[in-house]
Amino acid sequence: MKKWIAVLLVLLLAACGEEDSSAGTGEMLQEVTVEFNTPQTVEPGQSVLLSATVTQGEEAVEDADEVVFEVWQSGHRENSEMLEGAHTEDGVYEHSWTVDEEGLYFIQAHTTARRMHVMPKMELTAGNPDPESIVPDDGEDGDAMEKMGH
């Protein structure tokens, strides 16, 4: 009887010492990506559809927590507008916006989906702006997060 107890203890201890060979072999969480569908040029005074497609791997993200388009004219980020994107279909989020005046604009899609946050940025040229009026965007994206209340 003592032999069997000793054998069981040895087997039990051996089983506890084994590492799960499947640990860490699960799929890596795929990144959420945002691709703009908005045209890169528009005429001043014209309405433009701010549009972005949100995906994770091959899957359209239909349940993003938020997609907010931040829009500002070159050199004037402190005057940016935050425009909430509405989900339409197939992971596409949109907001209609009118470009008031000629210039270079920056659009940043602040996107939170599936516990990830991404903030891609694009340029939109309205009309034929004077190159001297264009200021490169080197602002801190953290400022925009504060503006959103995060």
Side-chain angles (χ1 to χ4, degrees):
M1 180 79 166
K2 288 183 182 179
K3 272 188 186 178
W4 288 109
I5 292 174
V7 170
L8 285 173
L9 282 174
V10 170
L11 290 175
L12 182 63
L13 289 173
C16 289
E18 283 185 28
E19 290 191 27
D20 183 3
S21 60
S22 65
T25 59
E27 286 186 39
M28 293 292 293
L29 189 59
Q30 291 187 318
E31 181 179 358
V32 169
T33 58
V34 178
E35 185 176 323
F36 284 100
N37 307 313
T38 304
Q40 293 182 338
T41 59
V42 67
E43 289 303 313
Q46 186 178 28
S47 180
V48 64
L49 189 61
L50 305 178
S51 176
T53 302
V54 182
T55 57
Q56 186 177 38
E58 298 293 320
E59 179 187 357
V61 174
E62 307 288 335
D63 59 349
D65 296 318
E66 69 180 351
V67 177
V68 177
F69 296 101
E70 181 182 13
V71 181
W72 68 96
Q73 191 170 14
S74 170
H76 300 283
R77 183 155 193 179
E78 68 280 359
N79 298 324
S80 69
E81 292 181 69
M82 296 295 208
L83 308 169
E84 181 129 4
H87 180 254
T88 57
E89 61 183 355
D90 299 327
V92 176
Y93 295 79
E94 299 176 331
H95 187 99
S96 183
W97 176 68
T98 301
V99 181
D100 292 329
E101 58 187 66
E102 190 169 70
L104 176 68
Y105 292 83
F106 294 97
I107 302 167
Q108 189 163 31
H110 298 272
T111 306
T112 304
R114 301 180 179 175
R115 299 177 10 181
M116 294 181 205
H117 187 77
V118 292
M119 305 183 315
K121 193 184 307 182
M122 69 166 283
E123 295 180 3
L124 173 74
T125 304
N128 191 16
D130 177 9
E132 297 291 319
S133 71
I134 296 174
V135 177
D137 177 53
D138 56 1
E140 290 295 319
D141 290 333
D143 295 342
M145 295 300 288
E146 287 178 21
K147 194 170 188 176
M148 289 178 63
H150 291 210

